Amino acid sequence: MLTFEEFASFCNIIEKISSTLELAARIAEFIRKIEDDDDLYDVVLFLMGKVYPPWDERELGVGVGLIYEAIRIATGINKQKIEELVKETGDLGKACEIALENKTQLTLFQEELTIKSIRQIFDTMSSLVGEGSQKKKIRMLADLFISASPLEARYLTRLILSEMRLGVGEGIIRDAIAKAWAISVEVVERAYMITNDLGKVAVVAKNEGKEGLEKIKIELHVPVRMMLAQVAEGIEDAVREMGKVAVEWKFDGSRVQAHWDGEKLTIFSRRLENVTKALPEIVGEIKSNVKGNVILDGEVIAVKNGKPMPFQHVLRRFRRKYDVSKMVEKIPLIVYFFDVLYYNGETIDYPLYERRKILESVINESEKLKIAKQVITNNPKEIEKVYNDALKAGHEGAMLKNPNSLYIPGKRGKNWLKLKAVMETLDLIVVAGEWGEGKRSHLISSYELACIDDVTGKLQTVGKVATGFTDEDLEELTELFKPLIEYEEGKRVIFQPKYVFEVAYQEIQKSPKYESGYALRFPRFVRLRDDKDVDEADTIERVARLYESQFGKKA
Ligand code: AMP
């Protein structure tokens, strides 16, 4: 049985390593030695700062405030002093560690923490709801801190906040699993895209090796990573690359993956969250118009008086947990399906034009459930017409797909291209903010943004956005971000990274001012992308590519 101290000591070692190769090698060595399957599962998730896979509906529901309170109870150190520690270290984990080193409270009863005991406590915490649950969580957390060593407290806190600061992202864990059991990275990657659970992938790799991973199949009601699109360079280019192109409208809504077995229906969002309960009318439509045993891929859009409503409305529906029926009237939804991944117990490893036939055979179109129209052509004029029609109908543009391509989960490749009218925006993680001046002094009115290094998972700042917000936006955003404040430095507030903003900008420049080495010129807030997780934000690589492409355009 693995103790939490062993885990924390390991984290402490790798925290100092910056080479991704070495990180993967060290992690491989560490996980290979874990005998117990459950411990292996948990360690893999914990190293990435996750307690559950993304599609699991459970969450700890512990914010910064509860941690402050629990630490105060466990150490006897007052809140003000703890706040000072957080400011000094810039890291709530380190602050908790120091608080434990200096605790004034006498500890009577200390229990050795293990990976298993922590898992059990986490599961209990995430099952607590309703009145009194906050109090119980604080008590449980305080007990944890009472039993924890200072080093354990550092990583416990960071784990609870999903911010391990180890520089270990999915890519490194994937490579470590491959290395630990001598399996190719591609095989591990594929298993991950299908299960969305690296813990599970590690356990199968350990027990059944490469063959086990290859046997992993798409399963109904377990979400699969969605295939993604790249930006089209132009229509002519696409025709040259693909020959014939399957052209569809690009609907401006929110992605859904529907798993329907004839009895049970589960709908997942782009973030692989279970959104079935929020979409009763879509559920009804699928149940009555789709043949069972399929996984469908599509886009839900909001429509009023025949016109698509802005994309934010769809997200409001997705977020809604209570009084869903009121929202059904306010924001009516329809769904367009454009792909199928699984049919009658089989993963569909067929090209798009074959999948399309299955799609048409399983769906009976209705007013609210449609198959995205598709034109297959090599004529640029025809493609342009579809694109213009889409814009006229109030949609975003067109998707150009290779009719001979397979559905590759999680892949952002050349087989799906998006053609949009507007300039490419960036989706960036909000890491800090600043209180406004004068009339806006009660509002957080500027936000600092970061992109992600998708190998290490580290966040790197690229700029600040302070325009594009309405006062209403700022009110809403301030409410949203307040619970995420880890500490304040004068007017500046540092957030737990949780939300993604879409921002437009005039230009990307090289700049030493921000960690990424790039800076956005005239950034403007477009919208909150709360359909996107932090690890889906734009990467430093994309920023660099956009930077380079500016010269292409200017030349
Ligand atoms: P983007 O979010 O800009 O990378 O564009 C890709 C997204 O467009 C997908 O994730 C879908 O949510 C959405 N989309 C809208 N219409 C289609 C379509 N016909 N085929 C594929 N994706 C579509």
Side-chain angles (χ1 to χ4, degrees), residues 409-424:
K411 176 90 179 174
R412 190 187 286 287
K414 284 196 160 53
N415 286 323
W416 281 23
L417 301 176
K418 53 188 173 188
L419 197 61
K420 291 204 276 190
V422 283
M423 178 171 62
E424 279 302 304

mmCIF file with all atom_site columns, all heavy atoms in Angstrom, residues 409-424:
data_model
loop_
_atom_site.group_PDB
_atom_site.id
_atom_site.type_symbol
_atom_site.label_atom_id
_atom_site.label_alt_id
_atom_site.label_comp_id
_atom_site.label_asym_id
_atom_site.label_entity_id
_atom_site.label_seq_id
_atom_site.pdbx_PDB_ins_code
_atom_site.Cartn_x
_atom_site.Cartn_y
_atom_site.Cartn_z
_atom_site.occupancy
_atom_site.B_iso_or_equiv
_atom_site.pdbx_formal_charge
_atom_site.auth_seq_id
_atom_site.auth_comp_id
_atom_site.auth_asym_id
_atom_site.auth_atom_id
_atom_site.pdbx_PDB_model_num
ATOM 1   N N   . PRO A 1 409 ? -10.629 9.893  -32.894 1.00 0.00 ? 409 PRO A N   1
ATOM 2   C CA  . PRO A 1 409 ? -10.976 10.622 -31.669 1.00 0.00 ? 409 PRO A CA  1
ATOM 3   C C   . PRO A 1 409 ? -9.840  11.528 -31.203 1.00 0.00 ? 409 PRO A C   1
ATOM 4   O O   . PRO A 1 409 ? -8.681  11.121 -31.207 1.00 0.00 ? 409 PRO A O   1
ATOM 5   C CB  . PRO A 1 409 ? -11.209 9.507  -30.646 1.00 0.00 ? 409 PRO A CB  1
ATOM 6   C CG  . PRO A 1 409 ? -11.609 8.327  -31.459 1.00 0.00 ? 409 PRO A CG  1
ATOM 7   C CD  . PRO A 1 409 ? -10.825 8.445  -32.734 1.00 0.00 ? 409 PRO A CD  1
ATOM 8   N N   . GLY A 1 410 ? -10.196 12.749 -30.860 1.00 0.00 ? 410 GLY A N   1
ATOM 9   C CA  . GLY A 1 410 ? -9.223  13.676 -30.284 1.00 0.00 ? 410 GLY A CA  1
ATOM 10  C C   . GLY A 1 410 ? -8.300  14.319 -31.300 1.00 0.00 ? 410 GLY A C   1
ATOM 11  O O   . GLY A 1 410 ? -7.467  15.137 -30.956 1.00 0.00 ? 410 GLY A O   1
ATOM 12  N N   . LYS A 1 411 ? -8.461  13.955 -32.558 1.00 0.00 ? 411 LYS A N   1
ATOM 13  C CA  . LYS A 1 411 ? -7.496  14.408 -33.558 1.00 0.00 ? 411 LYS A CA  1
ATOM 14  C C   . LYS A 1 411 ? -7.882  15.785 -34.109 1.00 0.00 ? 411 LYS A C   1
ATOM 15  O O   . LYS A 1 411 ? -9.013  16.005 -34.509 1.00 0.00 ? 411 LYS A O   1
ATOM 16  C CB  . LYS A 1 411 ? -7.476  13.397 -34.696 1.00 0.00 ? 411 LYS A CB  1
ATOM 17  C CG  . LYS A 1 411 ? -6.584  13.774 -35.853 1.00 0.00 ? 411 LYS A CG  1
ATOM 18  C CD  . LYS A 1 411 ? -5.200  13.228 -35.645 1.00 0.00 ? 411 LYS A CD  1
ATOM 19  C CE  . LYS A 1 411 ? -4.316  13.600 -36.819 1.00 0.00 ? 411 LYS A CE  1
ATOM 20  N NZ  . LYS A 1 411 ? -2.943  13.222 -36.603 1.00 0.00 ? 411 LYS A NZ  1
ATOM 21  N N   . ARG A 1 412 ? -6.911  16.700 -34.107 1.00 0.00 ? 412 ARG A N   1
ATOM 22  C CA  . ARG A 1 412 ? -7.095  17.965 -34.807 1.00 0.00 ? 412 ARG A CA  1
ATOM 23  C C   . ARG A 1 412 ? -6.183  17.902 -36.021 1.00 0.00 ? 412 ARG A C   1
ATOM 24  O O   . ARG A 1 412 ? -5.009  18.214 -35.942 1.00 0.00 ? 412 ARG A O   1
ATOM 25  C CB  . ARG A 1 412 ? -6.698  19.134 -33.894 1.00 0.00 ? 412 ARG A CB  1
ATOM 26  C CG  . ARG A 1 412 ? -7.081  20.479 -34.455 1.00 0.00 ? 412 ARG A CG  1
ATOM 27  C CD  . ARG A 1 412 ? -6.525  21.593 -33.604 1.00 0.00 ? 412 ARG A CD  1
ATOM 28  N NE  . ARG A 1 412 ? -7.214  21.799 -32.334 1.00 0.00 ? 412 ARG A NE  1
ATOM 29  C CZ  . ARG A 1 412 ? -8.418  22.352 -32.204 1.00 0.00 ? 412 ARG A CZ  1
ATOM 30  N NH1 . ARG A 1 412 ? -9.077  22.753 -33.258 1.00 0.00 ? 412 ARG A NH1 1
ATOM 31  N NH2 . ARG A 1 412 ? -8.954  22.515 -31.021 1.00 0.00 ? 412 ARG A NH2 1
ATOM 32  N N   . GLY A 1 413 ? -6.727  17.440 -37.138 1.00 0.00 ? 413 GLY A N   1
ATOM 33  C CA  . GLY A 1 413 ? -5.859  17.176 -38.282 1.00 0.00 ? 413 GLY A CA  1
ATOM 34  C C   . GLY A 1 413 ? -6.314  17.883 -39.540 1.00 0.00 ? 413 GLY A C   1
ATOM 35  O O   . GLY A 1 413 ? -7.147  18.784 -39.498 1.00 0.00 ? 413 GLY A O   1
ATOM 36  N N   . LYS A 1 414 ? -5.765  17.444 -40.659 1.00 0.00 ? 414 LYS A N   1
ATOM 37  C CA  . LYS A 1 414 ? -6.042  18.104 -41.934 1.00 0.00 ? 414 LYS A CA  1
ATOM 38  C C   . LYS A 1 414 ? -7.303  17.566 -42.590 1.00 0.00 ? 414 LYS A C   1
ATOM 39  O O   . LYS A 1 414 ? -7.682  18.034 -43.663 1.00 0.00 ? 414 LYS A O   1
ATOM 40  C CB  . LYS A 1 414 ? -4.857  17.891 -42.878 1.00 0.00 ? 414 LYS A CB  1
ATOM 41  C CG  . LYS A 1 414 ? -3.648  18.743 -42.564 1.00 0.00 ? 414 LYS A CG  1
ATOM 42  C CD  . LYS A 1 414 ? -2.703  18.758 -43.746 1.00 0.00 ? 414 LYS A CD  1
ATOM 43  C CE  . LYS A 1 414 ? -1.742  19.913 -43.731 1.00 0.00 ? 414 LYS A CE  1
ATOM 44  N NZ  . LYS A 1 414 ? -0.965  20.087 -42.517 1.00 0.00 ? 414 LYS A NZ  1
ATOM 45  N N   . ASN A 1 415 ? -7.931  16.565 -41.989 1.00 0.00 ? 415 ASN A N   1
ATOM 46  C CA  . ASN A 1 415 ? -9.110  15.992 -42.626 1.00 0.00 ? 415 ASN A CA  1
ATOM 47  C C   . ASN A 1 415 ? -10.399 16.738 -42.321 1.00 0.00 ? 415 ASN A C   1
ATOM 48  O O   . ASN A 1 415 ? -11.419 16.493 -42.943 1.00 0.00 ? 415 ASN A O   1
ATOM 49  C CB  . ASN A 1 415 ? -9.253  14.522 -42.240 1.00 0.00 ? 415 ASN A CB  1
ATOM 50  C CG  . ASN A 1 415 ? -8.227  13.677 -42.969 1.00 0.00 ? 415 ASN A CG  1
ATOM 51  O OD1 . ASN A 1 415 ? -7.927  13.943 -44.131 1.00 0.00 ? 415 ASN A OD1 1
ATOM 52  N ND2 . ASN A 1 415 ? -7.670  12.692 -42.283 1.00 0.00 ? 415 ASN A ND2 1
ATOM 53  N N   . TRP A 1 416 ? -10.354 17.589 -41.317 1.00 0.00 ? 416 TRP A N   1
ATOM 54  C CA  . TRP A 1 416 ? -11.481 18.481 -41.040 1.00 0.00 ? 416 TRP A CA  1
ATOM 55  C C   . TRP A 1 416 ? -10.915 19.902 -41.019 1.00 0.00 ? 416 TRP A C   1
ATOM 56  O O   . TRP A 1 416 ? -10.053 20.213 -40.188 1.00 0.00 ? 416 TRP A O   1
ATOM 57  C CB  . TRP A 1 416 ? -12.081 18.203 -39.662 1.00 0.00 ? 416 TRP A CB  1
ATOM 58  C CG  . TRP A 1 416 ? -12.978 17.014 -39.587 1.00 0.00 ? 416 TRP A CG  1
ATOM 59  C CD1 . TRP A 1 416 ? -13.000 15.939 -40.426 1.00 0.00 ? 416 TRP A CD1 1
ATOM 60  C CD2 . TRP A 1 416 ? -13.986 16.781 -38.585 1.00 0.00 ? 416 TRP A CD2 1
ATOM 61  N NE1 . TRP A 1 416 ? -13.954 15.038 -40.003 1.00 0.00 ? 416 TRP A NE1 1
ATOM 62  C CE2 . TRP A 1 416 ? -14.560 15.535 -38.882 1.00 0.00 ? 416 TRP A CE2 1
ATOM 63  C CE3 . TRP A 1 416 ? -14.433 17.497 -37.478 1.00 0.00 ? 416 TRP A CE3 1
ATOM 64  C CZ2 . TRP A 1 416 ? -15.592 14.996 -38.100 1.00 0.00 ? 416 TRP A CZ2 1
ATOM 65  C CZ3 . TRP A 1 416 ? -15.439 16.956 -36.697 1.00 0.00 ? 416 TRP A CZ3 1
ATOM 66  C CH2 . TRP A 1 416 ? -16.013 15.717 -37.022 1.00 0.00 ? 416 TRP A CH2 1
ATOM 67  N N   . LEU A 1 417 ? -11.411 20.737 -41.910 1.00 0.00 ? 417 LEU A N   1
ATOM 68  C CA  . LEU A 1 417 ? -10.941 22.118 -41.938 1.00 0.00 ? 417 LEU A CA  1
ATOM 69  C C   . LEU A 1 417 ? -12.115 23.054 -41.704 1.00 0.00 ? 417 LEU A C   1
ATOM 70  O O   . LEU A 1 417 ? -13.216 22.812 -42.179 1.00 0.00 ? 417 LEU A O   1
ATOM 71  C CB  . LEU A 1 417 ? -10.301 22.429 -43.293 1.00 0.00 ? 417 LEU A CB  1
ATOM 72  C CG  . LEU A 1 417 ? -9.111  21.551 -43.692 1.00 0.00 ? 417 LEU A CG  1
ATOM 73  C CD1 . LEU A 1 417 ? -8.651  21.903 -45.098 1.00 0.00 ? 417 LEU A CD1 1
ATOM 74  C CD2 . LEU A 1 417 ? -7.954  21.705 -42.702 1.00 0.00 ? 417 LEU A CD2 1
ATOM 75  N N   . LYS A 1 418 ? -11.861 24.122 -40.957 1.00 0.00 ? 418 LYS A N   1
ATOM 76  C CA  . LYS A 1 418 ? -12.943 25.087 -40.737 1.00 0.00 ? 418 LYS A CA  1
ATOM 77  C C   . LYS A 1 418 ? -12.654 26.364 -41.499 1.00 0.00 ? 418 LYS A C   1
ATOM 78  O O   . LYS A 1 418 ? -11.525 26.848 -41.527 1.00 0.00 ? 418 LYS A O   1
ATOM 79  C CB  . LYS A 1 418 ? -13.139 25.354 -39.248 1.00 0.00 ? 418 LYS A CB  1
ATOM 80  C CG  . LYS A 1 418 ? -11.891 25.753 -38.530 1.00 0.00 ? 418 LYS A CG  1
ATOM 81  C CD  . LYS A 1 418 ? -12.127 25.813 -37.024 1.00 0.00 ? 418 LYS A CD  1
ATOM 82  C CE  . LYS A 1 418 ? -10.808 26.057 -36.317 1.00 0.00 ? 418 LYS A CE  1
ATOM 83  N NZ  . LYS A 1 418 ? -10.856 25.953 -34.879 1.00 0.00 ? 418 LYS A NZ  1
ATOM 84  N N   . LEU A 1 419 ? -13.712 26.891 -42.093 1.00 0.00 ? 419 LEU A N   1
ATOM 85  C CA  . LEU A 1 419 ? -13.603 28.087 -42.909 1.00 0.00 ? 419 LEU A CA  1
ATOM 86  C C   . LEU A 1 419 ? -14.494 29.130 -42.248 1.00 0.00 ? 419 LEU A C   1
ATOM 87  O O   . LEU A 1 419 ? -15.710 28.988 -42.238 1.00 0.00 ? 419 LEU A O   1
ATOM 88  C CB  . LEU A 1 419 ? -14.122 27.739 -44.306 1.00 0.00 ? 419 LEU A CB  1
ATOM 89  C CG  . LEU A 1 419 ? -13.781 28.631 -45.472 1.00 0.00 ? 419 LEU A CG  1
ATOM 90  C CD1 . LEU A 1 419 ? -12.288 28.700 -45.695 1.00 0.00 ? 419 LEU A CD1 1
ATOM 91  C CD2 . LEU A 1 419 ? -14.464 28.105 -46.737 1.00 0.00 ? 419 LEU A CD2 1
ATOM 92  N N   . LYS A 1 420 ? -13.859 30.139 -41.644 1.00 0.00 ? 420 LYS A N   1
ATOM 93  C CA  . LYS A 1 420 ? -14.647 31.127 -40.912 1.00 0.00 ? 420 LYS A CA  1
ATOM 94  C C   . LYS A 1 420 ? -14.350 32.522 -41.434 1.00 0.00 ? 420 LYS A C   1
ATOM 95  O O   . LYS A 1 420 ? -13.266 32.792 -41.931 1.00 0.00 ? 420 LYS A O   1
ATOM 96  C CB  . LYS A 1 420 ? -14.297 31.087 -39.416 1.00 0.00 ? 420 LYS A CB  1
ATOM 97  C CG  . LYS A 1 420 ? -14.746 29.822 -38.715 1.00 0.00 ? 420 LYS A CG  1
ATOM 98  C CD  . LYS A 1 420 ? -14.918 30.038 -37.228 1.00 0.00 ? 420 LYS A CD  1
ATOM 99  C CE  . LYS A 1 420 ? -13.622 29.908 -36.464 1.00 0.00 ? 420 LYS A CE  1
ATOM 100 N NZ  . LYS A 1 420 ? -13.845 29.891 -35.002 1.00 0.00 ? 420 LYS A NZ  1
ATOM 101 N N   . ALA A 1 421 ? -15.324 33.415 -41.243 1.00 0.00 ? 421 ALA A N   1
ATOM 102 C CA  . ALA A 1 421 ? -15.166 34.771 -41.760 1.00 0.00 ? 421 ALA A CA  1
ATOM 103 C C   . ALA A 1 421 ? -14.273 35.613 -40.861 1.00 0.00 ? 421 ALA A C   1
ATOM 104 O O   . ALA A 1 421 ? -13.459 36.388 -41.327 1.00 0.00 ? 421 ALA A O   1
ATOM 105 C CB  . ALA A 1 421 ? -16.517 35.428 -41.892 1.00 0.00 ? 421 ALA A CB  1
ATOM 106 N N   . VAL A 1 422 ? -14.440 35.439 -39.577 1.00 0.00 ? 422 VAL A N   1
ATOM 107 C CA  . VAL A 1 422 ? -13.730 36.314 -38.656 1.00 0.00 ? 422 VAL A CA  1
ATOM 108 C C   . VAL A 1 422 ? -12.282 35.899 -38.478 1.00 0.00 ? 422 VAL A C   1
ATOM 109 O O   . VAL A 1 422 ? -11.908 34.771 -38.757 1.00 0.00 ? 422 VAL A O   1
ATOM 110 C CB  . VAL A 1 422 ? -14.401 36.310 -37.270 1.00 0.00 ? 422 VAL A CB  1
ATOM 111 C CG1 . VAL A 1 422 ? -15.643 37.148 -37.317 1.00 0.00 ? 422 VAL A CG1 1
ATOM 112 C CG2 . VAL A 1 422 ? -14.662 34.911 -36.805 1.00 0.00 ? 422 VAL A CG2 1
ATOM 113 N N   . MET A 1 423 ? -11.495 36.822 -37.984 1.00 0.00 ? 423 MET A N   1
ATOM 114 C CA  . MET A 1 423 ? -10.115 36.515 -37.714 1.00 0.00 ? 423 MET A CA  1
ATOM 115 C C   . MET A 1 423 ? -10.026 35.452 -36.615 1.00 0.00 ? 423 MET A C   1
ATOM 116 O O   . MET A 1 423 ? -10.858 35.397 -35.730 1.00 0.00 ? 423 MET A O   1
ATOM 117 C CB  . MET A 1 423 ? -9.397  37.758 -37.250 1.00 0.00 ? 423 MET A CB  1
ATOM 118 C CG  . MET A 1 423 ? -8.016  37.358 -36.946 1.00 0.00 ? 423 MET A CG  1
ATOM 119 S SD  . MET A 1 423 ? -6.790  38.551 -36.589 1.00 0.00 ? 423 MET A SD  1
ATOM 120 C CE  . MET A 1 423 ? -7.266  39.389 -35.167 1.00 0.00 ? 423 MET A CE  1
ATOM 121 N N   . GLU A 1 424 ? -8.987  34.655 -36.696 1.00 0.00 ? 424 GLU A N   1
ATOM 122 C CA  . GLU A 1 424 ? -8.785  33.641 -35.677 1.00 0.00 ? 424 GLU A CA  1
ATOM 123 C C   . GLU A 1 424 ? -8.622  34.285 -34.299 1.00 0.00 ? 424 GLU A C   1
ATOM 124 O O   . GLU A 1 424 ? -7.826  35.201 -34.128 1.00 0.00 ? 424 GLU A O   1
ATOM 125 C CB  . GLU A 1 424 ? -7.530  32.832 -36.006 1.00 0.00 ? 424 GLU A CB  1
ATOM 126 C CG  . GLU A 1 424 ? -7.767  31.770 -37.018 1.00 0.00 ? 424 GLU A CG  1
ATOM 127 C CD  . GLU A 1 424 ? -8.846  30.797 -36.594 1.00 0.00 ? 424 GLU A CD  1
ATOM 128 O OE1 . GLU A 1 424 ? -8.720  30.205 -35.512 1.00 0.00 ? 424 GLU A OE1 1
ATOM 129 O OE2 . GLU A 1 424 ? -9.826  30.651 -37.331 1.00 0.00 ? 424 GLU A OE2 1
#
